[in-house]
Each structure stands twice: as C-alpha cells, then as structure tokens.
Amino acid sequence: MEFSDVFKQSGSCCSYSPDGLYLAFCVDHRLVIRDAETMAVVQLHNCLDKISLIEWSSDSMYILCAMLKRGLVQVWSLEQPEWTCKIDEGSAGLTSARWSPDGRHVLTSADFQLRITVWSLISQQVNYLQFPKFPCRQGCAFSSDGKYMAVLERSDGKDRVSVFACKTWEMVKRFHVGTTDAIDLTWAPGTSERLLCIWDDVVYHRVCVYQPDGRELANYSAYEHALGVKTVTWSPSSQLLAVGSYDQSVCLLNSLTWGVISSFAHREEVRSRKVVYKEIETKEPIDKIEVFPNTGGLHTTSSKYKVVESGSVHIDSVKADPEKPFPRIGVGILAFSADSRYFATRNDNMPNAVWVWDVAKLQQAALVLHMSGVLSWHPSRPLLAIATGSGCVYFWSPNGALCAQIPSDRQFAVNGLVWSPLGGSIVLFDKSRFCVAFTTSGLQAL
C-alpha cells in the first residue's frame, strides 16, 4: 500500500463523498475538502464554532456541518463555494442533524426529543415532526428508494412507528409495534418489497419485521429473562437478517419464512482446522545513530500474521462486571461483505478476535486474532480491513491475509478506518490525525 502524508483532524469527523471523489474533514471550526486521489485542497471553510459532525448529501453536491453546542448547522456547496446556508434551532437546542435522501432537505433534532425539524434548501419551507422517541440519527430511517421515512415514537407506554412520505413530509401510516421498549429501526436495503425491522432495548430479546402498512411479518425472540439484542444488520441482498445478542451468538433469519437458518456461537476454544491467523510482533534492528549513543542498538516493531496449523486455539475473554450497566459481553460488531457471502463479528468480551463466517456453508471461515480490533468491509468485494491500535492495517479475504505496515517515521496508531466508496483507498484514523492508504497490486490480488 501507499500512504499519504498525515493530516490533523478532530473528533474523527472525516468522510468520503458518496461519489468517492472528495474527502472532507474538520479541524476544530475549519472544514477542509480535499481531492480523494491527489489530496489537494479543493475548498476550505470557516464555521461559526467547533464542528461536532459532518455529512455529505447523497449527490455529493453539499456538505453539512453541525455545531451541537451552539445549536447551529451550516451547509456548504461544492459547486458554488460562495453559497452557504445557516440553520439555527435557537432555544430549542440541537442534538443531531442529517440529510434526507434527496440531498435537499436537512433534518435536525431538538433537545429532549421535542421534535424533528425538516428544513428545505429549495423552497425554504419548514416541517415539524412532533415527539420522536430519539434524535434523528436513531429511531429514524429512510427506505432504500428514499421515498419514505419511518420514525419511532412512544405514546401511552407503547411503541409505535409513523411513516412519512419524503416528497410532502406528510404522515401516511401510523401503527403500534410488538416491542416492549424499541431502541432502533432499519429498512431493508435494495429491495422492491419495503421491509422495516424494529428491535427492543437490551433488557429484552425481540426483533420484529413489518411492512410499511403495519402488517407484521415476523416476531422473533430467542430467549427471555436475560440481556437481549445487541446489534441487528441486514445483508446487502436483504435476504438475510442477522441478530447479534448478549448470549454471544448470532442468529441468521431468512426473509422468506422468517425462520432461523443457523446460529453461530463465539467460543473460547477454537479448533485450528478452521483457518486461524494470529498477529505476532517482531523487532527488527536498525543502525545506531549518534543522537542516541547509549541505546545499544535501536529496534523497530512490526507485525505479521502467523497461521495456526494444528491443535486448538484459546481466545482470551474479559470477565464482565455484573455491577456495571451495559457489560462488555455479546456481539457488538456485525457486518456483511458487499456480496452477502461473508459476515464478520466481534464478541465484546473477546475484543482481540475477529470472526469471519461463510454464509453459503453456514460455518466459520476464519478467525483473526489481534491485540484489539475495529473492522470494515470493502464496498464491492469480500475484503475485510482491520485496525488494531498499532502501526499496521490488516486485511483478510477468502484467498488469505496480509499486514500493511505504516512507515515508522509517521508514529501513527490506527484506531479506526473507513473505505472509500470506490474501494481504491481507505482512511486511517489516529486519535487526532489521519492519513489515506491507497491500494496497490498486492492488495488487489488478495
């Protein structure tokens, strides 16, 4: 891989445009937009306060900057740099902001979930959606075709969903759901039949699937009287719904009968007949330099994969504290590859292990062991990138695994990563910096 220079950033606010041509990031109150390939500065804007979050419009023509503490949103245009829009929530406060699918409306949430406000950049009209259960980035989702928006609400101690037409922002349907205390919802991606999945808070294990007219298609509960659902993810094909739970397992539901296809457990002992990659650190000596005459030799630390070929592998597990809320246990990360063939998981009480599962064979495909792990799939093929907090980026594919070392002079620890929508590069995050890694022939052949 080839690595760019290191740039400052704040709050991990760094995002590729949906068309993959630009990379935007913020440094305190400044918004910087660079060319995603050459890293040349395209635009530079000064906002009125420190930026809390940024988001591109769906057509990559606009970008919003939310300043939550000040209750402001500023919108900038990529075509007309001199054009700007300011949205002020005033005394109502601001907890969140996001784009609608058409890229011409901005949604903001007021304090205490009083309302969601829809601001039109074209007609300058304002619409109010009263009393949502959560801010607009939770419990609020758009259908894959962008025509409808579903919002979680709670009235008289019961959960309900309101469905709005995004063209007029009028409510077209409202119905109660079978959850006890719903925490979030999501539409199925890329399907002609619009499906809406809603799941309960951690205290309960219940996942419900509805059509937009309120007809219930599925009501799934694996067990009772224990911590329940932790993460829910649709496969890109919408044929599968994966449910990760606090019992350290993942259940796959099919969209035809809504029955459980298979369950995948995360055990502490894994037989190495599965492909197991283990990260090991190596120290390579480098020449002495005059600045440090008494070091007795300098070493640079690098990492590589070791394939465990025989016997069983023990995975270190962190014991959860029952006295603390939201214990570190259960499947906290669950993500499908772009072709829906594989999905990767991380069991939070085994933070050093990334599990890769083969959907076609309904079995474990690989186990990748690190010091820690944050993962992201390539946008168009089954290539998994993993960040471990070290100076390396790790990649897995069905063909094998490799480690890409960041040049040691950068002193860069990769804590997060985001793929470009085009798949040709990946942004790597440090605590207050970032750099871009560009794929080369070696990685493309993996």
Side-chain angles (χ1 to χ4, degrees):
M1 300 194 77
E2 298 179 354
F3 296 89
S4 72
D5 293 333
V6 175
F7 304 97
K8 288 184 178 181
Q9 58 89 14
S10 58
S12 297
C13 291
C14 186
S15 176
Y16 280 102
S17 60
D19 60 12
L21 299 180
Y22 302 99
L23 179 64
F25 63 95
C26 63
V27 183
D28 294 330
H29 67 282
R30 287 178 297 167
L31 172 68
V32 184
I33 301 175
R34 292 181 177 269
D35 186 285
E37 185 174 351
T38 66
M39 299 305 294
V41 175
V42 177
Q43 289 187 18
L44 178 63
H45 300 286
N46 289 315
C47 294
L48 298 174
D49 206 337
K50 185 177 180 179
I51 302 170
S52 304
L53 65 89
I54 62 175
E55 185 179 26
W56 288 90
S57 62
S58 57
D59 58 359
S60 304
M61 299 303 296
Y62 297 92
I63 184 168
L64 69 78
C65 303
M67 292 145 278
L68 301 182
K69 290 184 178 179
R70 196 161 173 176
L72 292 176
V73 174
Q74 285 185 273
V75 182
W76 306 94
S77 170
L78 207 64
E79 276 192 335
Q80 301 173 296
E82 67 281 357
W83 180 93
T84 185
C85 169
K86 185 177 77 169
I87 297 172
D88 190 347
E89 274 284 9
S91 58
L94 180 67
T95 59
S96 187
R98 66 181 297 181
W99 286 102
S100 67
D102 65 358
R104 298 300 180 267
H105 293 81
V106 176
L107 280 67
T108 60
S109 295
D111 286 336
F112 310 109
Q113 283 70 258
L114 294 176
R115 69 190 184 199
I116 293 177
T117 308
V118 183
W119 310 80
S120 173
L121 301 185
I122 305 300
S123 64
Q124 300 183 13
Q125 290 183 342
V126 179
N127 293 277
Y128 297 103
L129 314 179
Q130 299 292 336
F131 307 117
K133 190 174 183 179
F134 300 105
C136 60
R137 285 185 171 271
Q138 181 183 355
C140 176
F142 294 93
S143 59
S144 58
D145 57 9
K147 294 182 178 180
Y148 297 98
M149 178 180 72
V151 180
L152 263 179
E153 300 174 350
R154 191 166 180 85
S155 177
D156 299 327
K158 295 182 179 180
D159 290 327
R160 67 184 185 188
V161 171
S162 293
V163 180
F164 297 86
C166 295
K167 188 174 183 179
T168 61
W169 300 106
E170 295 180 353
M171 185 174 62
V172 295
K173 187 66 178 179
R174 173 176 283 168
F175 56 92
H176 286 87
V177 295
T179 54
T180 304
D181 187 12
I183 192 67
D184 209 348
L185 52 76
T186 179
W187 293 86
T191 176
S192 57
E193 182 183 11
R194 301 183 184 94
L195 302 175
L196 187 62
C197 177
I198 306 160
W199 61 97
D200 250 322
D201 197 1
V202 297
V203 181
Y204 311 96
H205 194 289
R206 187 166 301 280
V207 178
C208 301
V209 180
Y210 292 87
Q211 288 187 332
D213 60 4
R215 184 161 62 95
E216 185 179 83
L217 301 178
N219 193 320
Y220 169 71
S221 178
Y223 54 84
E224 295 180 347
H225 311 300
L227 292 179
V229 177
K230 192 163 189 178
T231 180
V232 177
T233 303
W234 288 98
S235 67
S237 65
S238 298
Q239 295 177 340
L240 299 173
L241 181 66
V243 180
S245 306
Y246 275 90
D247 70 347
Q248 307 178 53
S249 69
V250 175
C251 290
L252 283 185
L253 282 69
N254 71 84
S255 61
L256 294 178
T257 66
W258 299 108
V260 176
I261 297 177
S262 184
S263 180
F264 304 88
H266 298 70
R267 298 184 175 91
E268 294 185 11
E269 294 287 338
V270 176
R271 294 182 181 179
S272 62
R273 63 182 181 181
K274 312 294 183 185
V275 181
V276 179
Y277 299 95
K278 187 173 183 179
E279 175 192 10
I280 59 174
E281 287 189 347
T282 60
K283 289 189 176 181
E284 301 174 358
I286 59 177
D287 295 334
K288 294 182 182 180
I289 52 177
E290 296 181 359
V291 181
F292 304 105
N294 300 319
T295 57
L298 296 175
H299 294 79
T300 177
T301 301
S302 62
S303 298
K304 64 179 182 180
Y305 276 134
K306 174 185 177 182
V307 179
V308 181
E309 297 181 350
S310 62
S312 62
V313 177
H314 177 77
I315 305 172
D316 295 332
S317 178
V318 179
K319 188 175 181 180
D321 187 349
E323 301 297 326
K324 293 183 179 180
F326 304 106
R328 290 186 58 185
I329 188 172
V331 181
I333 298 179
L334 198 165
F336 278 90
S337 61
D339 59 0
S340 301
R341 172 66 188 268
Y342 301 93
F343 68 93
T345 60
R346 191 191 71 185
N347 192 19
D348 285 349
N349 56 307
M350 302 176 188
N352 302 338
V354 174
W355 310 67
V356 183
W357 309 89
D358 190 323
V359 175
K361 298 179 180 179
L362 295 178
Q363 65 181 19
Q364 184 181 345
L367 175 67
V368 187
L369 299 176
H370 299 95
M371 272 81 75
S372 62
V374 177
L375 55 91
S376 177
W377 284 102
H378 189 279
S380 61
R381 66 189 185 99
L383 176 64
L384 183 68
I386 305 171
T388 67
S390 66
C392 302
V393 188
Y394 301 87
F395 297 92
W396 175 92
S397 82
N399 299 323
L402 61 81
C403 167
Q405 180 85 34
I406 298 176
S408 58
D409 59 345
R410 309 290 173 88
Q411 297 182 349
F412 195 92
V414 185
N415 297 316
L417 39 79
V418 177
W419 280 101
S420 162
L422 302 179
S425 61
I426 185 169
V427 172
L428 310 176
F429 295 101
D430 198 342
K431 185 176 181 180
S432 59
R433 302 174 299 164
F434 79 92
C435 70
V436 179
F438 298 92
T439 59
T440 56
S441 57
L443 185 61
Q444 292 169 0
L446 183 64

